Amino acid sequence: MPIIIEEKTKVMIQGITGRFGQFIARNMLDTGTNLVAGVTPGRGGSKVWDVPVYNSVRDAWDAHGPINSTVILVPGPGAKLALVEAVNFKFDTILMEVERVPLHDALECVAMCRKAGIRLLGPGSAGLVSPGYGSLGVFGSPEELAKVAFIPGRVGVISRSGGQTSTLAFNVCSAGFGISTAIHIGTEQVMGTTLPEILPLFEADDGTDAIVYYGEIGGVMEEEASEIIKEKKFTKPFIGYIAGRGLPAGIRFSHASAIIEGGKGTAEGKVKALQECGAYVVEGPEDIGPTLQKILK
C-alpha cells in the first residue's frame, strides 16, 4: 500500500478555477486521483474538468464529505485564510502547494494543523504521488514523464526540493526499480511535516523496501532522522544525498530553508549523522541507482 493517498482517498482543491488550479486538477485526475470537488468563492456551480466547484469548504464537505485531503493553491498572502477554513473539518492531510507564505502565517498554519490532528505538507510542498493510486499536487504527469520517472514499484522517495523529487525518481526507475510513493516535504523555513515524521509512514508500508532522500544544508532534520534510525523506528535501507557541501556559514543554497546558521545544518554534520546510524550516503543523485542495485539485488 502507498502512504497518505489510496485509490479511494477523496480529495478536493481550494483554488481550483485559476490557471494553476486547473493545471494541478488535470494532473491529479490523470494520475487516477479521486478528485471530488473544488472550491473557489464566487464560482460555485461551475465545473473544472467536470469536477464540481463550490463557494466554500463547507459546501463541498456537505456535498461530498467526509473528504480525506485538500490541496491549497491559494497565493501566499491568502493561504492562511484558506487553511483556517479547512482546519474546521476532519481532513487527514492538507497540502499547501504555496510558496512565499509569510513566516508568521506559516507558523500559525503548522500550529493549527497540529492542534487539529491534521497532517500538513508544506508550505512550499509540490506534493506527492503514489503511482497507480493517485497524487496530491504536481507529480506523476504527463504520461511521458510518468513512463520514465514514476513507474509503480517499491522504493520511496523523499526530497527537500520539488525538482529533485523527479530527478531521484528518475534515477530509481532507470536502475530497474519503481516508486511506491514520492513526496516533496517542502522548501520553506517552516514545514508542517518533516523527514523524521515521514519515515515511520514508510516503515509501516509493506509496499516500500527502501528510501532514497535528497537533502540540503540548513536545519537538523537529517540529524533527527538518524536518531529515528538508531532507535529502530525505521529499519529499511536509507540512501541519502546531501547537497551544498563546502558552503560557508551564512550562504543560502537553493531554498529559503537551506542556510547554515550558528554552526548547525552543515552538509558535513548531516552526512556524519546519517553514516553513523547505518544509512548510505552517496556523492550525487547518479549514484542512487547503483547503490540501490547493490542493496536490493
Side-chain angles (χ1 to χ4, degrees):
M1 296 295 291
I3 67 168
I4 300 178
I5 191 167
E6 301 175 4
E7 287 179 304
K8 296 182 179 180
T9 300
K10 288 185 178 180
V11 182
M12 59 173 276
I13 294 176
Q14 292 171 256
I16 193 172
T17 56
R19 184 170 62 178
F20 187 56
Q22 293 181 50
F23 169 75
I24 294 298
R26 182 68 268 165
N27 179 86
M28 290 168 57
L29 289 168
D30 288 345
T31 61
T33 308
N34 184 21
L35 181 59
V36 299
V39 171
T40 299
R43 299 294 298 274
S46 61
K47 289 186 176 182
V48 171
W49 308 116
D50 210 32
V51 176
V53 180
Y54 299 88
N55 290 318
S56 67
V57 174
R58 166 59 69 188
D59 291 345
W61 190 276
D62 287 346
H64 302 279
I67 302 172
N68 306 101
S69 301
T70 182
V71 177
I72 295 177
L73 302 177
V74 179
K80 186 182 81 170
L81 291 179
L83 184 133
V84 167
E85 184 180 6
V87 293
N88 292 316
F89 301 87
K90 293 188 179 300
F91 291 104
D92 298 322
T93 301
I94 295 177
L95 166 65
M96 293 185 75
E97 191 165 349
V98 185
E99 294 185 332
R100 296 180 177 86
V101 175
L103 180 58
H104 285 89
D105 286 0
L107 289 167
E108 289 184 56
C109 289
V110 171
M112 284 187 288
C113 285
R114 290 190 183 278
K115 183 177 180 180
I118 298 172
R119 179 187 299 108
L120 173 63
L121 298 178
S125 167
L128 65 90
V129 60
S130 294
Y133 294 90
S135 63
L136 300 177
V138 73
F139 297 118
S141 184
E143 185 179 358
E144 293 79 7
L145 179 61
K147 286 181 177 179
V148 296
F150 297 109
I151 301 168
R154 300 181 63 84
V155 176
V157 173
I158 308 172
S159 177
R160 291 288 311 282
S161 163
Q164 292 298 322
T165 306
S166 297
T167 299
L168 263 64
F170 174 77
N171 278 278
V172 170
C173 293
S174 296
F177 301 95
I179 307 300
S180 58
T181 298
I183 181 168
H184 174 218
I185 54 178
T187 56
E188 300 295 284
Q189 290 176 288
V190 176
M191 287 175 282
T193 304
T194 63
L195 172 62
E197 294 170 317
I198 290 291
L199 287 181
L201 301 181
F202 277 113
E203 176 71 13
D205 178 27
D206 292 337
T208 298
D209 294 332
I211 291 295
V212 300
Y213 171 70
Y214 171 89
E216 297 173 344
I217 59 172
V220 293
M221 283 197 302
E222 291 81 3
E223 288 88 340
E224 293 172 349
S226 70
E227 294 300 318
I228 297 291
I229 297 172
K230 284 180 181 178
E231 295 168 1
K232 304 299 183 183
K233 295 178 182 177
F234 182 80
T235 61
K236 300 175 182 180
F238 181 104
I239 303 168
Y241 165 63
I242 308 298
R245 298 191 193 190
L247 289 178
I251 298 297
R252 180 168 293 169
F253 172 81
S254 181
H255 300 121
S257 57
I259 183 170
I260 301 169
E261 297 179 290
K264 296 182 179 179
T266 66
E268 291 76 16
K270 296 172 184 290
V271 169
K272 181 180 178 182
L274 290 172
Q275 289 177 333
E276 288 179 348
C277 74
Y280 303 84
V281 181
V282 298
E283 293 295 320
E286 67 278 4
D287 298 322
I288 287 173
T291 306
L292 274 172
Q293 290 174 337
K294 292 178 183 178
I295 295 170
L296 298 183
K297 288 188 177 180

